[in-house]
Amino acid sequence: MSQLTRADWQAMSERLQLEGRAFINGDYVSAVGGDTFASINPANGMPLALIAGCDEQDAALAVAHARAAFRRGDWSRCAPAERKRTLLKLARLMEQHQEELALLETLDMGKPIGDSLHVDLPSAINCIGWNAEAIDKVYGEVAPTDRHSLGLITREPLGVVAAIVPWNFPLMMSCWKIAPALAAGNSVILKPSEKSPLSAIRLAALAREAGVPDGVFQVLPGFGHTVGKALALHNDVDCLAFTGSTRVGKQLTQYAGQSNLKRTFMECGGKSANIICADAGNLDTIAREAAMAIYYNQGEVCIAGSRLLVENSIKDELVERIIAYAEQLQPGDPLDPATRMGAIVDAAQLDTICGYVAKGVDEGARLRMGGEPVLTDSGGHYFPPTLFDGVNNRHTIAREEIFGPVLSVIGFDTLDEAIEIANDSPYGLAAAVWTRDLDKALTASRRLESGQVYVNNYAGGDMTVPFGGVKQSGNGRDKSLHSLSEYSQLKTTWIALHGN
Ligand code: NAD
């Protein structure tokens, strides 16, 4: 555990030299058009740094360098063991700079420094190391042909991969894409969210120091409708790996169709159901886990357990315990290591959350806790844990992704009913079921329309298992060996054998 105090982090943030330029072909450069925009600290509303506002000119330049690097072959065609060594070095460098990277994350998007340092950074570093370690253990296949032929099935990198990512776990979401994409031998262009570009920009220098060749890893900060759109429409980008909202995911799929039919992997939004059966066990434990399932990271989590489905016989008791626990999670200064809920990413997101709370009240749900912004004198954006009871699955707050600390509690009488409610959603990212009955748990797991199902936990998992959604939550899979396959394509080589 880090021994750094709030004063230490504050002092460190004052010493930081923030880089805001794009990273193209091995160097930091201003946007071709000269545009910049300010990144804002959501904790106090103060500007942090000027960021390059890249557009289609920068996209064109970066894609040309990415393609040239891919053709050059010093990364795309080098031995996998060599890519492994370089990426392991990158993981080590990230480890050496983990406090700085964690600080960038917290300053940029408002999450508590303890979470940045103890959750986001270890996970991002592990992702780079894990994919590095995996890549020299991936084999091709020999087809079961007749004796006059030899059929080789090999995996090749795709070419130029554009990764477009959100702001809620900036470095972690970036690494989930770039680690397998780089390990597989692609040239990668990372477009971080305009709300959280700092850690991605810093990562570029570490990749250069680790020995990733020029043009193989580039970072283009800027807005979605400018540089993001340009990458998505570019005819020389082979793959678009996206994490973000369903609305933008749909748009990107259209861009792929309008241009070169590039491969697209979409990791989109969710409205996940956390189902608590009456036989689930210790209510204090479940209350704590159900609270963290929605309030962790200020509720800005794609798999947030935002719909809590509770068997009616224990609902009132559980709601009281969740409220008692969540009262201790009041938002505070993200740089204070004791803070468990930080700032909401920006004013627009805070307005969105407030709008949903107002709608919840209007549509007849019972507001039991929170509901109003707090710490308004700070100049930052803070919203407390908020809970609605008596929610109906038709209410807007039960249907739409709020992306804030707002929990909707829905009662049920039978597991069948709970599964029906859970599946009655356009999304299918995550679901959980809590019961001591194995039969009920596995039946629910089979029937829940969701990319991942947690049994007697929420949000468990590690690098060994895939992560992704079904329905309008997307179609890609991050993490595990399966994600390596997403960034490569199969090649068949058919050899005629003329011997006997
Ligand atoms: P967003 O869709 O607004 O933006 C995501 C990224 O897309 C950003 O980099 C943005 O600049 C870019 N973008 C926006 N418009 C674009 C366009 N027209 N063309 C190209 N790029 C464009 O999402 P957000 O607000 O940054 O993130 C929150 C969303 O991300 C939530 O819906 C959340 O559920 C989702 N998310 C999903 C996962 C997952 O693994 N499924 C993980 C984290 C977040």
Side-chain angles (χ1 to χ4, degrees):
M1 283 302 245
S2 164
Q3 300 304 313
L4 295 176
T5 64
R6 176 184 181 166
D8 296 330
W9 287 110
Q10 188 61 44
M12 204 190 291
S13 73
E14 281 155 22
R15 287 195 303 272
L16 274 181
Q17 306 256 320
L18 296 176
E19 178 59 79
R21 287 175 296 170
F23 188 82
I24 299 181
N25 198 31
D27 274 316
Y28 283 113
V29 289
S30 302
V32 175
D35 272 3
T36 56
F37 63 97
S39 72
I40 304 290
N41 183 347
N44 55 23
M46 301 298 287
L48 286 164
L50 278 184
I51 309 296
C54 294
D55 63 17
E56 57 187 326
Q57 302 173 81
D58 307 278
L61 197 61
V63 172
H65 285 300
R67 177 63 60 194
F70 190 73
R71 294 234 163 89
R72 209 168 57 226
D74 51 356
W75 185 259
S76 56
R77 281 181 276 126
C78 77
E82 206 176 302
R83 293 202 290 269
K84 164 176 153 173
R85 273 193 295 278
T86 307
L87 291 174
L88 284 177
K89 189 159 176 211
L90 174 59
R92 277 197 302 278
L93 285 167
M94 288 170 74
E95 214 167 338
Q96 284 161 21
H97 292 85
Q98 59 183 321
E99 285 172 353
E100 178 197 351
L101 290 167
L103 183 55
L104 293 179
E105 218 68 322
T106 287
L107 291 174
D108 227 5
M109 61 69 67
K111 71 171 64 198
I113 189 68
D115 292 347
S116 295
L117 189 63
H118 300 300
V119 179
D120 293 48
L121 257 295
S123 164
I125 294 165
N126 182 46
C127 180
I128 299 281
W130 195 92
N131 280 281
E133 287 288 2
I135 196 62
D136 64 350
K137 288 136 195 115
V138 178
Y139 291 77
E141 297 165 26
V142 176
T145 58
D146 66 23
R147 67 198 172 96
H148 303 295
S149 333
L150 178 62
L152 300 181
I153 305 166
T154 47
R155 284 207 164 268
E156 297 189 334
L158 301 172
V160 177
V161 172
I164 299 182
V165 296
W167 47 264
N168 59 336
F169 293 89
L171 202 56
M172 201 166 119
M173 292 297 113
S174 299
C175 288
W176 283 12
K177 312 275 184 223
I178 67 168
L182 286 173
N186 298 283
S187 294
V188 180
I189 301 171
L190 173 63
K191 196 215 82 68
S193 167
E194 58 277 16
K195 299 181 187 185
S196 61
L198 293 174
S199 57
I201 294 174
R202 181 71 181 98
L203 185 67
L206 299 181
R208 176 176 60 189
E209 193 178 336
V212 175
D214 293 352
V216 169
F217 178 55
Q218 306 179 90
V219 179
L220 297 184
F223 292 88
H225 64 275
T226 55
V227 67
K229 181 176 175 184
L231 287 168
L233 278 170
H234 202 294
N235 279 317
D236 208 22
V237 169
D238 301 293
C239 168
L240 195 56
F242 173 73
T243 299
S245 62
T246 297
R247 182 184 63 78
V248 173
K250 287 182 179 179
Q251 181 71 64
L252 296 194
T253 310
Q254 288 186 15
Y255 292 153
Q258 278 166 34
S259 52
N260 59 342
L261 204 62
K262 55 181 67 64
R263 193 184 274 218
T264 56
F265 301 130
M266 299 293 143
E267 303 281 358
C268 299
K271 192 74 200 175
S272 300
N274 191 6
I275 302 174
I276 318 291
C277 299
D279 66 353
N282 185 302
L283 278 192
D284 283 326
T285 308
I286 294 165
R288 193 176 65 231
E289 299 278 329
M292 292 316 289
I294 178 67
Y295 302 130
Y296 182 71
N297 210 45
Q298 305 75 244
E300 297 162 332
V301 178
C302 54
I303 53 166
S306 53
R307 289 185 295 155
L308 185 69
L309 277 47
V310 191
E311 198 160 334
N312 279 320
S313 58
I314 58 163
K315 183 169 79 66
D316 291 347
E317 182 59 35
L318 184 64
V319 165
E320 292 312 322
R321 294 190 198 200
I322 292 174
I323 290 174
Y325 179 77
E327 295 287 2
Q328 310 160 34
L329 297 174
Q330 294 307 316
D333 180 358
L335 284 187
D336 184 342
T339 294
R340 295 181 66 198
M341 256 175 96
I344 299 295
V345 72
D346 64 6
Q349 187 63 21
L350 188 69
D351 280 354
T352 302
I353 296 168
C354 293
Y356 276 115
V357 170
K359 218 166 219 167
V361 172
D362 280 357
E363 292 181 6
R366 224 159 358 109
L367 180 63
R368 292 288 318 275
M369 175 178 59
E372 300 261 350
V374 292
L375 303 175
T376 44
D377 292 343
S378 64
H381 320 294
Y382 296 89
F383 204 85
T386 294
L387 186 146
F388 278 101
D389 197 358
V391 177
N392 180 305
N393 203 46
R394 304 314 302 171
H395 287 161
T396 307
I397 55 170
R399 302 210 69 74
E400 298 183 11
E401 185 181 43
I402 299 173
F403 226 53
V406 182
L407 181 61
S408 296
V409 181
I410 303 173
F412 69 84
D413 288 316
T414 64
L415 186 60
D416 277 349
E417 188 189 351
I419 292 170
E420 198 173 308
I421 295 169
N423 288 344
D424 177 16
S425 168
Y427 294 110
L429 191 53
V433 58
W434 296 73
T435 170
R436 307 316 300 175
D437 181 332
L438 186 65
D439 199 73
K440 269 160 80 177
L442 294 180
T443 303
S445 169
R446 282 192 177 167
R447 288 179 48 202
L448 286 164
E449 296 163 356
S450 167
Q452 36 271 311
V453 175
Y454 308 113
V455 176
N456 294 331
N457 75 96
Y458 201 89
D462 62 18
M463 273 307 296
T464 61
V465 288
F467 182 94
V470 299
K471 295 159 78 174
Q472 293 188 35
S473 291
N475 54 20
R477 289 295 178 270
D478 288 322
K479 306 197 305 174
S480 85
L481 292 178
H482 294 282
S483 77
L484 272 176
S485 314
E486 304 229 64
Y487 295 101
S488 58
Q489 56 203 344
L490 294 174
K491 169 164 285 179
T492 296
T493 305
W494 189 265
I495 303 157
L497 299 178
H498 298 290
N500 216 334

